[in-house]
Every structure is written in structure tokens, then in C-alpha cells.
Amino acid sequence: EYKNPLGVDIDLETGVIPGAKKLVRRLSDLKGYFVDEKAYEELLKENPVVYEVYAIEQEEKDGDLNFATTVLYPGKVGREFFFTKGHYHSKADRAEIYYGIKGKGGMLLQTPEGRAEWIEMGPGTVVYVPPYWAHRTVNTGDEPFIFLAIYPADAGHDYGSIAEKGFSKLVVEENGEVMVVDSPKWKE
Ligand code: 6PG
Ligand code: NI
């Protein structure tokens, strides 16, 4: 049987995809992810929403595609800008495409050996995430950073090693500037 084609209009102001499954990540879902633990505990009293994902997903089959928008809110924990958890794909060789819709931010990518890359993103930026690279987005602006991701339906998410060790780089504000610096938490 053939599946039915589908067309949806993303709300380019809010990032909402009508009919999509919504996932909400609050600060409490990101325990252990930020370097400044005191700043984390302080902000936890408010427990803000850090990001929301609107996903249209298919069965996990080879050859099919999923897509999702992410609305990543502005904010910082200490000097670190708000970010998504970040992950490898469970099928590590699955690639992905991101497309910037609104706001300002970027993507941290990393190989399993810890070689990191930072790519700035704004409306219209396309980012190619090659096979095997972990990826995390960061909001470096003062409004929601919204983007679309398109990824193989069987890619899956492997959060384990990022949850444990993080990325080798942090994206922080220093004297009003966005800086990508070495993470003190990273060890080989
Ligand atoms: C994916 C995409 C993307 C991502 C969200 C939230 O593979 O599904 O990379 O939709 O999941 O931006 O980020 P985290 O999954 O890292 O929390
Ligand atoms: Ni992904």
C-alpha cells in the first residue's frame, strides 16, 4: 500500500507545525548538562521551558523521512546559552538537514573523538549534519531560535554519551560576545 503524501504549513512566527506531536523540554530535563551548577539550581526555581519540538514522524523504516521544528528559547545558565540536549543518531551513520527559520543561533557538531565544529545559523541557513556527528543547537540571541530538521525515519536518538560528557566546546557569552570555548567537563 502507498502512504498518503502530506503538505503542512509551518507557522514561521511560532514554529508550530499543525497536527505535529509536541515535546517540551524544561530546565529540569537538562540536569547535569550545564557547567555552572549553582546557576542551574538557581534558575531551576523558575524551571523555564528551554525548547519545544513539533515532530511529524513515520514508522522507523529504512528510506522514510521525519521532520520536526524546534523552538529554542533565549536564556543562559551562568554564561552558557540555552541549548538542546544534543545527540548522536542511534543508527550513527544517519545524516540530517537543518534549515534556519527565525532568530539567531548555531549548531555545535562533534565526532566521537571530540573534534568539534561550530556553525552559525539564522533564517535561511542550511546545515548538513554528516553521518556520525553529534549535533546540538544553541540560541545565542534574545528571541526564540526556530529551525526545521529533516532526518531519516530510522535514525533514532542516542543521548547517552552527550548526557555524560557533553560536548568538548561550550558556547558562552563573554563581555557581550558569543564565544566558543573549551569545556572543562570534557575528558577523553
Ligand atoms: C532529530 C533532530 C532534532 C532534535 C531537536 C531536539 O534528530 O530529531 O536532530 O529534531 O531532536 O532539535 O534536540 P535533542 O533531540 O538533542 O533534544
Ligand atoms: Ni538529529
Side-chain angles (χ1 to χ4, degrees), residues 87-89 96 98 135 151 156-157:
H87 58 270
Y88 292 93
H89 290 145
E96 182 163 0
Y98 277 61
H135 40 289
Y151 48 102
H157 301 92

Side-chain angles (χ1 to χ4, degrees), residues 98-184:
Y98 277 61
Y99 181 71
I101 291 175
K102 196 169 194 270
K104 175 174 170 275
M107 187 189 291
L108 262 182
L109 298 99
Q110 179 165 305
T111 66
E113 293 76 30
R115 180 185 146 206
E117 295 273 342
W118 168 247
I119 297 180
E120 284 185 16
M121 293 177 68
T125 307
V126 175
V127 179
Y128 164 60
V129 181
Y132 304 108
W133 286 74
H135 40 289
R136 159 183 288 169
T137 44
V138 184
N139 186 340
T140 56
D142 48 21
E143 63 172 326
F145 171 39
I146 302 173
F147 53 86
L148 173 72
I150 304 167
Y151 48 102
D154 65 349
H157 301 92
D158 174 5
Y159 293 102
S161 87
I162 298 296
E164 228 175 90
K165 302 203 305 181
F167 282 71
S168 62
K169 301 279 184 186
L170 308 179
V171 185
V172 298
E173 186 171 71
E174 251 176 49
N175 307 318
E177 286 193 60
V178 178
M179 303 275 282
V180 181
V181 300
D182 286 338
S183 169

